[in-house]
Amino acid sequence: MNSAKADSAFNKRTIAAALANYIDAGSIVAGSAGLSMWVSYLKLSDSQIGLLGAFSANAISAAVGALLGGYLADKVGRKAVYTNSMLVYALGICLVLFGMNFPMLLSGYMIIGISVGADITASWTIIAENAPKRNRARHCGVAQVAWAAGAVVVLMLSVLVGDLGLLGNKIVFAHLLVIALITYILRIRLPESEAWKDQSKQPQAEGAVLVNKTSYLNLLKPTFLKKIMFLMGVYLIWNLAAGVMGFFMPYIYQQVGGVSANMANLLQMGLFIFTGLGVAFIFMPFADKYRKTVFGICAFMAVIGWSLFLMPVQGMPILLLFIVAMGINNGAGQQANYQLWASELFPTEYRASAQGLMFFLVRISIGVWSLFVPMIMTNFGIGFMAAILLGCVTASMIIGLVFAPNTSGKSLEEIQEDLYGTPAAKQGNDRKIM
């Protein structure tokens, strides 16, 4: 009975935290889908369009939010960040819904991005800390399923309300507002992470706020820096390909397969559907026991996927094979395994900060890289771009296979003892009760 109750509590916490991924993906896709409508409505210039793209939920604002959210999640608690971020997100959505000029729209995009970035770091941390040690991949996989679901639902809604123009895009954003408010209600009733609370040697006084003296400078120490370099070798390098796929793929579909814009959107929806299937039927059932095997096979699917664009004959069959291979890779390859490793390889008091720093580096890198992607494809062709991305995913796969830690089936405390000798809470930490 107690076990059933505990499992039920884990499920509630996991689902409530995983909704961050639904909102993240939904915000990116909704912003992209409605961009042309806002351009027409507000008569936006090229520089204004560039600012919207640069400060959207997929780039700089999310990066800044992750840096801030990770630090605060370690400093004052996971719950404070992942609960209040939903209210900040709601404010950003309202600015978009009632936007009458460019400053309102840009402010809305920026606030959405900041809240999403902060939420992701706190949510991924609390999922890992609440998950049973033998089912951590299963619980973390819920977040990846939610990400795929957010993208698919928003794409479907965008198609259904497409004839309504800008009003249709606002309806899509309004549905994200409803999800955010539901998420806030779910989260406010849930407890703080036990792992975070257990860091303190002293009991927490009633109504007191626990504060941890964490610092990003501490993450530059060799012990932590090695782990950050490993994770960035896997995740950041892979994301250079994933960033192209997320934003430029419909264009590539049309150029390579000669398909219409609507068909390109349907293919992109298919990619996200296979992403969800990859998480649900490969990563969640098998990654807890066969982590490295799952990573290796699914990382190799990205190698196959980008190799397809180097074949002499192109067309719809190539595109269909691509979305299957890349969907499986997205669902059970670098992204899902990074979420696990990023939570496992750092002690509790730096867990969210480390994820915030790495998320910041990844999103900033995608933003800078995206500036050069159109120029490369225009001047050198899609095949040349595919060769670059093939090199990225191959390097990411090799780094993961060579340096992946053996953490399956171990609790976060056991992993911490293996890596650092003894849990940080036993060493004495810098926290104080205020």
Side-chain angles (χ1 to χ4, degrees), residues 212-224:
N212 188 14
K213 291 183 179 178
T214 56
S215 169
Y216 277 116
L217 291 176
N218 290 337
L219 291 173
L220 299 181
K221 294 177 179 178
T223 302
F224 297 140

Side-chain angles (χ1 to χ4, degrees), residues 228-251:
I228 291 173
M229 291 177 66
F230 158 66
L231 289 166
M232 290 298 90
V234 173
Y235 191 55
L236 190 153
I237 295 175
W238 173 82
N239 252 289
L240 297 178
V244 171
M245 189 168 57
F247 192 81
F248 297 101
M249 213 59 225
Y251 170 78

Side-chain angles (χ1 to χ4, degrees), residues 238 241-243 245-246 249 253 268 270-276 278 298-309 318-335 389-390 393:
W238 173 82
M245 189 168 57
M249 213 59 225
Y253 291 145
Q268 192 74 337
L271 176 66
F272 290 123
I273 290 173
F274 276 102
T275 296
C298 295
F300 187 66
M301 296 302 286
V303 175
I304 294 174
W306 289 110
S307 297
L308 293 171
F309 289 119
I318 293 295
L319 298 185
L320 293 175
L321 288 172
F322 177 83
I323 67 170
V324 173
M326 295 308 301
I328 292 172
N329 171 257
N330 284 348
Q334 284 89 335
Q335 169 81 27
L389 301 183
L390 174 61
V393 297

Side-chain angles (χ1 to χ4, degrees), residues 50-364:
L51 284 172
L52 285 176
F55 288 94
S56 70
N58 195 39
I60 295 173
S61 61
V64 172
L67 205 64
L68 179 63
Y71 174 77
L72 290 175
D74 281 336
K75 188 116 178 144
V76 300
R78 286 60 163 124
K79 183 178 179 179
V81 175
Y82 98 140
T83 300
N84 293 316
S85 64
M86 288 296 93
L87 297 180
V88 178
Y89 180 86
L91 173 62
I93 291 287
C94 288
L95 285 172
V96 173
L97 292 178
F98 301 105
M100 300 173 59
N101 51 52
F102 176 71
M104 286 184 70
L105 181 64
L106 179 61
S107 298
Y109 271 47
M110 290 176 66
I111 291 172
I112 289 171
I114 290 170
S115 61
V116 164
D119 200 309
I120 287 291
T121 54
S123 297
W124 283 10
T125 300
I126 206 166
I127 289 173
E129 290 178 345
N130 286 332
K133 65 180 182 179
R134 300 192 184 279
N135 289 307
R136 193 156 50 244
R138 183 180 295 274
H139 281 248
C140 290
V142 175
Q144 302 303 325
V145 171
W147 198 95
V152 171
V153 171
V154 167
L155 282 170
M156 290 178 64
L157 281 176
S158 297
V159 171
L160 292 174
V161 299
D163 292 339
L164 298 177
L166 186 59
L167 175 61
N169 187 244
K170 289 187 175 183
I171 290 173
V172 174
F173 271 106
H175 122 272
L176 292 172
L177 174 61
V178 172
I179 297 296
L181 294 176
I182 292 173
T183 303
Y184 174 78
I185 293 171
L186 288 174
R187 290 177 174 181
I188 202 170
R189 300 176 181 178
L190 295 174
E192 176 61 89
S193 164
E194 292 297 329
W196 186 82
K197 289 195 298 184
D198 286 347
Q199 287 181 84
S200 178
K201 286 184 176 181
Q202 303 173 3
Q204 184 177 5
E206 185 68 25
V209 177
L210 242 57
V211 178
N212 188 14
K213 291 183 179 178
T214 56
S215 169
Y216 277 116
L217 291 176
N218 290 337
L219 291 173
L220 299 181
K221 294 177 179 178
T223 302
F224 297 140
L225 194 57
K226 290 178 182 178
K227 296 170 179 60
I228 291 173
M229 291 177 66
F230 158 66
L231 289 166
M232 290 298 90
V234 173
Y235 191 55
L236 190 153
I237 295 175
W238 173 82
N239 252 289
L240 297 178
V244 171
M245 189 168 57
F247 192 81
F248 297 101
M249 213 59 225
Y251 170 78
I252 295 175
Y253 291 145
Q254 293 177 65
Q255 296 300 310
V256 172
V259 301
S260 66
N262 283 337
M263 179 56 70
N265 287 331
L266 288 174
L267 287 170
Q268 192 74 337
M269 191 184 303
L271 176 66
F272 290 123
I273 290 173
F274 276 102
T275 296
L277 293 175
V279 180
F281 294 103
I282 299 176
F283 184 76
M284 293 175 71
F286 301 111
D288 280 305
K289 289 186 177 180
Y290 311 105
R291 178 91 61 88
K292 200 165 187 177
T293 300
V294 168
F295 172 83
I297 293 173
C298 295
F300 187 66
M301 296 302 286
V303 175
I304 294 174
W306 289 110
S307 297
L308 293 171
F309 289 119
L310 301 180
M311 297 180 66
V313 179
Q314 300 293 320
M316 181 60 77
I318 293 295
L319 298 185
L320 293 175
L321 288 172
F322 177 83
I323 67 170
V324 173
M326 295 308 301
I328 292 172
N329 171 257
N330 284 348
Q334 284 89 335
Q335 169 81 27
N337 282 279
Y338 164 81
Q339 183 184 345
L340 280 174
W341 289 329
S343 294
E344 293 172 340
L345 297 184
F346 299 92
T348 305
E349 66 266 37
Y350 296 112
R351 189 167 290 131
S353 297
Q355 292 189 62
L357 176 61
M358 292 185 291
F359 197 86
F360 173 84
L361 294 173
V362 168
R363 288 291 170 101
I364 289 292

